[in-house]
Amino acid sequence: MTDATANTAPAGAGQGSLLIKDSRTAKRNGAEGRFKMYGLIAVCIGIAMLILLLTSILTSGLSAFWQTTIQIEVTLPEEKLDKSGVRDPEVMAKVTTFGYAPLLRDGLEATIAANGIETELSAKDAAELISDESVAQLRNRVLRNPDLIGQTVSVEVMASGRIDGFYKGRVTYASAERDTNISPAQLQLAEALEDKGLLNTSFNWLFLTAPDASDTRPEAAGLGVAILGSLYMMLIVLVLALPIGVAASVYLEEFAPQNRWTDLVEVNISNLAAVPSIVFGILGLAIFINFAGLPQSAPIVGGLVLTLMTLPTIIIATRAALKSVPPSIRDAALGLGASRMQSVFHHVLPLAMPGILTGTILGLAQALGETAPLLLIGMVAFVREYPEAPWEGGLFDPATALPVQVFNWTQRSDPAFVERASGAIIVLLVFLLLMNLTAIFLRRRFERRW
Amino acid sequence: MYDMRLTERVLDTETDKPKITAKGVQVYYGDTHAIKDVNVDIADKTVTAFIGPSGCGKSTFLRCLNRMNDTISIARVEGDIRIDGEDIYDKRVDPVQLRAKVGMVFQKPNPFPKSIYDNVAYGPRIHGLSRNKSDLDEIVENALRRAALWDEAKDRLSQPGTGLSGGQQQRLCIARAVATAPEILLMDEPCSALDPIATAQVEELIDELRQSYSVVIVTHSMQQAARVSQKTAFFHLGHLVEYGETGKIFTSPEDPRTESYISGRIG
Ligand SMILES: Nc1ncnc2c1ncn2[C@@H]1O[C@H](COP(=O)(O)OP(=O)(O)OP(=O)(O)O)[C@@H](O)[C@H]1O
Ligand SMILES: [Mg+2]
């Protein structure tokens, strides 16, 4: 090896023809080529993993955004729904879902008969095609609009989880044989309804707006409360962590004296960023719930815990952004007779803005996906009621959060919840994507060269 | 020809009381002793040049005069520096107020990443020097004219100052400093990035500023020192080796180190 170099590169390195590569050049180029290859391979592995992950989530979760529905004609008799005849919603509310269930059953039976579909199923068995949730939906619709009473209306009701699963490939005739919740005859009826154009698949807005539902009604489970809860918490984190984090970093970076005390603070902030999130959950439970007496499962507690968790991230990002502003800019401002504060607010902060915003949004994104600390403060509870608007004290109402909802659904036994959980992950990913796009947009918007 | 101009100037500076007096100034950067016992009187309405080899402490001493060394945490300044008889390191002195009075052009051009107009208007804005927009426009135009940048910049006032060439940026920084109307202007190698034409224009400006201000200029060009200044101070390794009339320093220096520096043997 050494001999070869000695032979091919005699005397100085700059001698010989430029048209012939000497052995050093060849070696150097070879090393560079190999290094590029390794890099490319690494990137490809990363992309492949990402694609694998996305396809697996999309294939199992996208169907959550579609829902099988059945079109039936329902008669709403006055004598059953509003005996008094005054259409007073308070009186009408006395009729529970038990009063409405037979209406749907009769409606389905009538629809089947009217379309000349043959089935050996009893009316009760046929009604199992319809989700239990549809009864409550019909009742709500009538209560909102009492004029419907006495009429025969065409309603689009949700199909039950098993029928929905049949059209999403989860349920087959073979599996129905062994399933106590569905029989092949019911699947046949569904297909007959489909032939008549009465059974359709449509976009499932309820998945995004409805609250969670019980174990037996996966088809009705939605993300409404979880999305609201997550939004509320992000709001709290943004409102608290951004100003506190920026103020702390500006003080530490621009005003604080450089001494052992500030060094200590600095080391501790870096350490805080590395603390496992569940520790923040325990802290939140001890301080906000047990000590301060805030309610469990409330977005305010979740928001406070996530704020604590996000603060170090924001402080570190902001300090890095402030550090990257050239000192000559500060000198220029100070040299003109600007005060320290003027130099910071007029020149340094605007230049650091892209970095601060990116850091903040990444911190928020991290908080949005955080699960562990929220489990500890009770946000995993089953919540059917939407929280009020934030200005009406909604921050103190029970709610859940998107990642917790995912966790919750993966715990349930019905395979339909796997679809729901994957769908929720898609929603979460879309939110994260939107946040990152915002970060990129803001960075572009504020970016300035110097 | 320049000899004649020189004698003229020496006469009118001698009558004035010193604008700045520095006594026993020591500057330390941590353990480094950068300025060693410097005593100097700087006259009003005069251009004083600081010359000396690289690293001898010219910038450091200049930064003592507007307390920019305060911003360097490891820097320590000792001694007595007075402007108009007032100790600028007195506890009661606010460095921000001092810097409005003692403007500075830095060694490296450092325009703000804002428009040319905003760069120049920044000082007048924070010090409330203009009553309205047209006032401010006038100040900006005037400052740019004095810094010999108006012709190049007048059509692009709203474009970023950082988009200018290095020499234009340096003139922008000069305009920015001039716009705040300081009493003393400290210029750290203002012409190091300029071509001969712009240099001549800036020198003209310095000469004009001398009518109302006291100007201290650091330069590596002997010719420039000889052309624009009335007094010259020669620094070497943190010492003020020689200080006196420019003509005398360049024609008959007393210290052998000064002589070898101006004849090109050290530095
Ligand atoms: N911020 C600083 N921290 C530590 N040492 C410094 C600092 N600034 C300057 N020095 C040191 O102080 C001495 C004087 O530096 P100064 O910048 O005043 O030199 P100068 O005469 O302006 O040189 P030049 O002509 O190259 O600009 C040098 O030895 C330098 O290393
Ligand atoms: Mg210097």
Side-chain angles (χ1 to χ4, degrees):
Chain A
M1 184 84 205
T2 37
D3 287 347
T5 4
N7 287 341
T8 48
Q15 292 176 4
S17 166
L18 280 176
L19 298 175
I20 303 161
K21 285 198 182 68
D22 64 20
S23 66
R24 274 178 170 282
T25 310
K27 230 170 98 185
R28 199 175 56 226
N29 290 351
E32 195 170 316
R34 279 194 301 280
F35 182 77
K36 279 193 208 157
M37 270 275 292
Y38 299 148
L40 204 64
I41 292 174
V43 170
C44 288
I45 293 177
I47 290 179
M49 289 298 170
L50 189 69
I51 290 177
L52 203 71
L53 183 85
L54 282 182
T55 30
S56 96
I57 289 173
L58 289 179
T59 45
S60 54
L62 265 187
S63 55
F65 294 91
W66 303 97
Q67 172 67 42
T68 313
T69 56
I70 303 171
Q71 187 93 34
I72 57 177
E73 304 282 326
V74 180
T75 316
L76 301 167
E78 182 170 20
E79 66 274 16
K80 285 215 177 109
L81 300 182
D82 189 20
K83 282 201 197 86
S84 63
V86 288
R87 302 284 188 271
D88 177 2
E90 259 176 56
V91 180
M92 285 160 55
K94 293 216 178 78
V95 183
T96 61
T97 44
F98 287 110
Y100 284 85
L103 303 181
L104 277 181
R105 193 174 59 211
D106 297 344
L108 181 63
E109 199 180 11
T111 309
I112 290 170
N115 285 280
I117 298 168
E118 305 260 321
T119 174
E120 76 260 31
L121 289 170
S122 67
K124 184 171 158 294
D125 287 343
E128 279 179 7
L129 263 64
I130 298 173
S131 162
D132 293 343
E133 194 68 17
S134 300
V135 182
Q137 282 169 3
L138 178 68
R139 176 169 177 269
N140 287 340
R141 186 171 161 193
V142 172
L143 288 182
R144 269 200 313 274
N145 187 3
D147 293 340
L148 292 176
I149 291 178
Q151 299 178 19
T152 297
V153 292
S154 166
V155 284
E156 184 121 17
V157 296
M158 265 198 263
S160 71
R162 287 297 194 284
I163 298 295
D164 193 42
F166 178 57
Y167 285 95
K168 290 170 179 171
R170 243 188 345 257
V171 175
T172 59
Y173 277 101
S175 75
E177 297 274 3
R178 288 172 266 115
D179 197 333
T180 49
N181 291 319
I182 192 96
S183 67
Q186 285 169 324
L187 294 182
Q188 271 165 0
L189 175 59
E191 284 188 315
L193 285 167
E194 189 191 7
D195 283 342
K196 298 280 178 206
L198 295 170
L199 186 143
N200 301 297
T201 306
S202 58
F203 190 78
N204 189 6
W205 283 110
L206 284 178
F207 180 58
L208 295 176
T209 57
D212 193 9
S214 67
D215 285 8
T216 53
R217 306 179 185 176
E219 70 280 1
L223 287 169
V225 175
I227 290 178
L228 268 186
S230 278
L231 275 183
Y232 284 11
M233 289 195 294
M234 290 305 104
L235 204 73
I236 294 168
V237 174
L238 191 66
V239 166
L240 292 181
L242 184 61
I244 297 177
V246 171
S249 338
V250 168
Y251 175 74
L252 284 175
E253 201 57 45
E254 306 285 335
F255 294 96
Q258 290 283 308
N259 55 27
R260 228 177 274 167
W261 165 239
T262 42
D263 283 351
L264 192 76
V265 171
E266 191 162 332
V267 169
N268 278 306
I269 289 173
S270 314
N271 282 343
L272 269 187
V275 166
S277 56
I278 193 133
V279 175
F280 287 100
I282 294 173
L283 192 81
L285 182 65
I287 294 180
F288 300 128
I289 295 181
N290 293 343
F291 178 71
L294 290 171
Q296 283 203 9
S297 319
I300 182 81
V301 180
L304 287 172
V305 168
L306 294 180
T307 301
L308 286 182
M309 218 193 71
T310 318
L311 258 179
T313 316
I314 293 187
I315 292 181
I316 289 171
T318 305
R319 293 192 68 180
L322 290 173
K323 271 204 184 85
S324 73
V325 176
S328 64
I329 297 291
R330 295 178 183 85
D331 282 352
L334 295 178
L336 284 172
S339 69
R340 205 92 85 83
M341 193 156 145
Q342 284 172 327
S343 121
V344 169
F345 281 89
H346 295 166
H347 303 288
V348 180
L349 262 189
L351 289 175
M353 219 42 168
I356 295 176
L357 290 175
T358 313
T360 305
I361 291 178
L362 291 184
L364 275 184
Q366 194 188 341
L368 180 66
E370 198 53 67
T371 325
L374 301 182
L375 297 180
L376 284 183
I377 57 161
M379 295 214 66
V380 71
F382 177 71
V383 185
R384 284 281 292 167
E385 295 289 318
Y386 295 101
E388 295 286 331
W391 52 91
E392 281 165 6
L395 299 179
F396 295 86
D397 292 346
T400 52
L402 274 173
V404 180
Q405 194 69 71
V406 173
F407 170 78
N408 189 332
W409 282 344
T410 51
Q411 304 291 93
R412 301 199 186 168
S413 53
D414 193 318
F417 278 109
V418 174
E419 173 202 64
R420 299 275 139 176
S422 302
I425 290 175
I426 294 174
V427 173
L428 191 60
L429 286 180
V430 167
F431 277 123
L432 292 177
L433 197 70
L434 286 180
M435 289 170 80
N436 284 321
L437 285 178
T438 320
I440 292 172
F441 171 77
L442 289 174
R443 200 163 45 209
R444 286 266 167 81
R445 185 74 209 281
F446 283 95
E447 197 135 74
R448 271 181 255 187
R449 281 172 295 119
W450 57 73
Chain B
M1 177 214 147
Y2 100 43
D3 271 338
M4 267 173 56
R5 267 176 34 183
L6 206 71
T7 38
E8 224 173 75
R9 274 171 204 166
V10 169
L11 285 177
D12 59 282
T13 55
E14 270 173 352
T15 54
D16 287 319
K17 266 199 306 180
K19 183 79 177 164
I20 307 172
T21 55
K23 286 204 182 69
V25 177
Q26 317 270 359
V27 182
Y28 302 86
Y29 289 111
D31 294 333
T32 323
H33 197 173
I35 291 289
K36 296 162 191 160
D37 192 27
V38 167
N39 297 289
V40 69
D41 283 353
I42 293 168
D44 199 7
K45 306 201 165 54
T46 314
V47 178
T48 305
F50 288 177
I51 59 170
S54 193
C56 67
K58 306 178 297 291
S59 301
T60 301
F61 186 69
L62 202 67
R63 292 163 64 94
C64 292
L65 302 180
N66 66 346
R67 290 185 59 174
M68 276 307 280
N69 283 330
D70 290 14
T71 62
I72 302 171
S73 57
I74 56 165
R76 208 169 77 243
V77 179
E78 287 170 10
D80 182 77
I81 302 176
R82 289 170 186 274
I83 291 178
D84 294 329
E86 293 174 336
D87 181 3
I88 61 169
Y89 282 87
D90 191 289
K91 278 201 187 65
R92 285 164 297 175
V93 171
D94 188 87
V96 171
Q97 222 175 324
L98 170 73
R99 290 182 201 129
K101 195 167 159 156
V102 186
M104 181 158 199
V105 177
F106 291 82
Q107 187 163 355
K108 275 184 244 153
N110 53 356
F112 299 126
K114 299 185 184 240
S115 73
I116 294 176
Y117 184 95
D118 287 339
N119 261 282
V120 182
Y122 184 67
R125 273 190 186 132
I126 57 171
H127 297 303
L129 300 185
S130 63
R131 263 165 290 117
N132 50 41
K133 178 86 171 77
S134 63
D135 245 18
L136 192 60
D137 288 348
E138 206 179 306
I139 292 175
V140 170
E141 176 174 346
N142 205 1
L144 285 170
R145 276 192 196 283
R146 295 176 89 176
L149 191 60
W150 177 250
D151 290 334
E152 285 147 272
K154 64 172 184 278
D155 299 324
R156 44 193 291 200
L157 287 177
S158 57
Q159 283 173 32
T162 36
L164 296 170
S165 79
Q168 289 171 328
Q169 289 189 10
Q170 188 62 288
R171 277 178 282 156
L172 179 61
C173 293
I174 294 174
R176 190 174 64 183
V178 169
T180 19
E183 290 176 23
I184 299 168
L185 190 59
L186 311 175
M187 303 174 109
D188 200 346
E189 297 185 36
C191 299
S192 57
L194 301 190
D195 64 21
I197 297 170
T199 302
Q201 286 167 325
V202 169
E203 285 177 8
E204 212 171 284
L205 163 72
I206 293 172
D207 204 52
E208 184 202 317
L209 291 173
R210 188 174 70 87
Q211 310 303 323
S212 32
Y213 308 133
S214 172
V215 180
V216 184
I217 174 172
V218 172
T219 177
H220 277 290
S221 152
M222 306 300 146
Q223 290 83 351
Q224 182 169 53
R227 278 195 305 266
V228 300
S229 71
Q230 289 81 56
K231 293 262 198 167
T232 297
F234 171 64
F235 286 81
H236 187 236
L237 299 176
H239 293 286
L240 176 64
V241 174
E242 196 166 345
Y243 177 53
E245 306 301 336
T246 300
K248 179 151 179 307
I249 297 268
F250 281 105
T251 50
S252 52
E254 274 162 23
D255 197 285
R257 286 171 291 180
T258 318
E259 174 163 20
S260 39
Y261 180 70
I262 54 180
S263 58
R265 264 171 282 153
I266 50 174

